[in-house]
Amino acid sequence: MLRRLALAAVVSLAALATTAPAATATGPVPSAVPTAGPLSSAFPALGPLPVPLPPLPSFLHGGSGVGQEKPAARTRLTVTVERSGVAGADGTFELTCGPTGGTHPERQGACDRLAEVGATRAGQDLFQPAPQGTMCTMIYGGDASARIVGTWEGRAVDTTVTRGDGCEIARWNNLVPVLPDLR
């Protein structure tokens, strides 16, 4: 969402810059002060003030400039899956998002899912277990377990997900394809 807001602001400023007179060393400068209308007389002594355009944020253009390193991924997780019963699903996998990378078997799908959930209010509880005292169905979903450690959207993550009851099964399913689909 922050990216959308920043992009909208940059596009708006760019549109304003293209409709304002071009600024040159000897030419006019776009004004932040009204030059016509009822407010123009309120600032007669100031004259036109320059309106500088801010630099494009690095996350919108994929880097921070020539000769500078790319910013680190905001999501970097280590996912360890055990006893899933699915061929190739058990093991320890690295996942980075923004840019997508690592050894996770479904990197792009996992990053897409994390971004989708992160854009909602429910994303705040994505890695949290069910609150103490929550009524969970006593359905056993198998021996599978997973540990997820690292950072997600810049926040620390260290959680274990099992399939020991209905709440844990729901957590697991909500994290597919970060975790293997066992349905």
Side-chain angles (χ1 to χ4, degrees):
M1 175 165 254
L2 181 61
R3 288 182 182 177
R4 288 185 195 152
L5 289 173
L7 184 58
V10 170
V11 169
S12 297
L13 288 172
L16 288 173
T18 59
T19 59
T24 64
T26 59
V29 175
S31 175
V33 177
T35 56
L39 296 178
S40 62
S41 61
F43 303 99
L46 293 178
L49 299 175
V51 179
L53 288 177
L56 187 62
S58 63
F59 61 80
L60 290 176
H61 62 74
S64 51
V66 176
Q68 295 179 354
E69 290 185 28
K70 226 175 180 182
R74 289 184 41 87
T75 297
R76 183 176 303 274
L77 300 172
T78 300
V79 181
T80 303
V81 179
E82 298 176 334
R83 300 179 305 278
S84 70
V86 176
D90 289 357
T92 299
F93 308 100
E94 299 295 323
L95 175 66
T96 59
C97 302
T100 302
T103 59
H104 192 281
E106 294 190 46
R107 289 178 292 276
Q108 189 60 55
C111 287
D112 290 347
R113 177 65 181 144
L114 290 173
E116 173 187 324
V117 174
T120 68
R121 188 154 197 257
Q124 296 172 355
D125 300 323
L126 178 65
F127 294 104
Q128 299 298 318
Q132 188 73 19
T134 301
M135 300 286 279
C136 300
T137 58
M138 297 308 296
I139 298 172
Y140 181 69
D143 291 332
S145 71
R147 178 144 188 233
I148 304 171
V149 178
T151 57
W152 173 63
E153 300 276 321
R155 294 178 288 221
V157 172
D158 187 352
T159 191
T160 300
V161 185
T162 66
R163 296 182 60 83
D165 63 30
C167 293
E168 284 295 296
I169 293 169
R171 278 184 73 208
W172 186 288
N173 291 343
N174 194 33
L175 284 164
V176 170
V178 176
L179 299 178
D181 192 349
L182 303 181
R183 292 178 254 187

